[in-house]
Amino acid sequence: MQLTSFTDYGLRALIYMASLPPDKMTSISQVTEVYGVSRNHMVKIINQLSRVGFVTAIRGKNGGIRLSKPGETIRLGDVVRALEPLSLVNCHSDFCHISPACRLNQVLHQGVQNFLEELNNHTLADMVEGNSLLYKLLLVE
C-alpha cells in the first residue's frame, strides 16, 4: 500500500505544525517552502485538514495556520483515514465478475483496518518530541 502524495504532504504539514511552539501560527507559504511542494497542492491539503478538524486556519493580516488541538491527541491513523481514499480494489459487479464469491475485499479491508490501528498507536507528538534532528531539518527554533 502506498499513500497518496496528498496524505503524505498532509502528514508532513502536520508534523511541521506540531514542531512549532504551541499556538504559534505559520503560513501555507512557509510549509510549502519547507517541503518544496506546490502552493496550490498545499492549499488543498490544508483546507481538507481544516475541514476535518486537525488544523485551524485564520484569515487576515494576523492569520495563519496551526494545529487545532495538541499533537498528543492527533493520532496518525485518524489523519490517514481522513485524507486517504482507502478503497484498494474495485469490487463493483460491473467491474469484476467474481465479486459475488470473492473474499479478497474482506481480507484487504481487514488489512487496512490493522494498518490504521497500528498508526493510531502513534501521535503527532511522538513524531516530534525529542527529535532534535527533525527540528534542525525543519529550521524550527
Side-chain angles (χ1 to χ4, degrees):
M1 182 171 153
Q2 183 172 352
L3 299 177
T4 61
S5 67
F6 191 88
T7 302
D8 179 8
Y9 281 109
L11 287 165
R12 292 181 201 208
L14 291 172
I15 288 170
Y16 179 74
M17 287 181 261
S19 71
L20 299 173
D23 294 326
K24 180 173 183 196
M25 301 288 274
T26 189
S27 67
I28 292 175
S29 295
Q30 181 62 39
V31 177
T32 61
E33 185 178 314
V34 166
Y35 291 117
V37 66
S38 149
R39 189 176 195 294
N40 270 355
H41 193 51
M42 189 56 69
V43 166
K44 292 173 189 172
I45 293 166
I46 297 300
N47 282 340
Q48 180 63 16
L49 289 169
S50 180
R51 271 194 294 278
V52 295
F54 295 121
V55 169
T56 297
I58 300 171
R59 293 179 183 256
K61 181 180 174 186
N62 297 319
I65 57 174
R66 68 173 177 238
L67 294 180
S68 61
K69 47 192 166 186
E72 299 83 21
T73 66
I74 299 176
R75 301 180 313 170
L76 299 182
D78 293 339
V79 174
V80 170
R81 190 177 277 113
L83 298 180
E84 189 71 21
L86 294 170
S87 179
L88 298 182
V89 292
N90 183 354
C91 293
H92 192 273
S93 60
D94 290 342
F95 182 77
C96 179
H97 72 280
I98 68 167
S99 63
C102 185
R103 296 178 182 158
L104 179 62
N105 192 34
Q106 294 170 332
V107 171
L108 292 175
H109 176 76
Q110 188 57 53
V112 167
Q113 295 311 308
N114 292 343
F115 171 69
L116 293 171
E117 284 177 32
E118 178 57 33
L119 288 180
N120 271 343
N121 289 325
H122 309 279
T123 67
L124 283 179
D126 297 332
M127 301 299 104
V128 300
E129 287 177 354
N131 193 340
S132 59
L133 179 57
L134 176 70
Y135 286 89
K136 285 180 187 176
L137 292 170
L138 294 177
L139 303 173
V140 175
E141 298 149 6

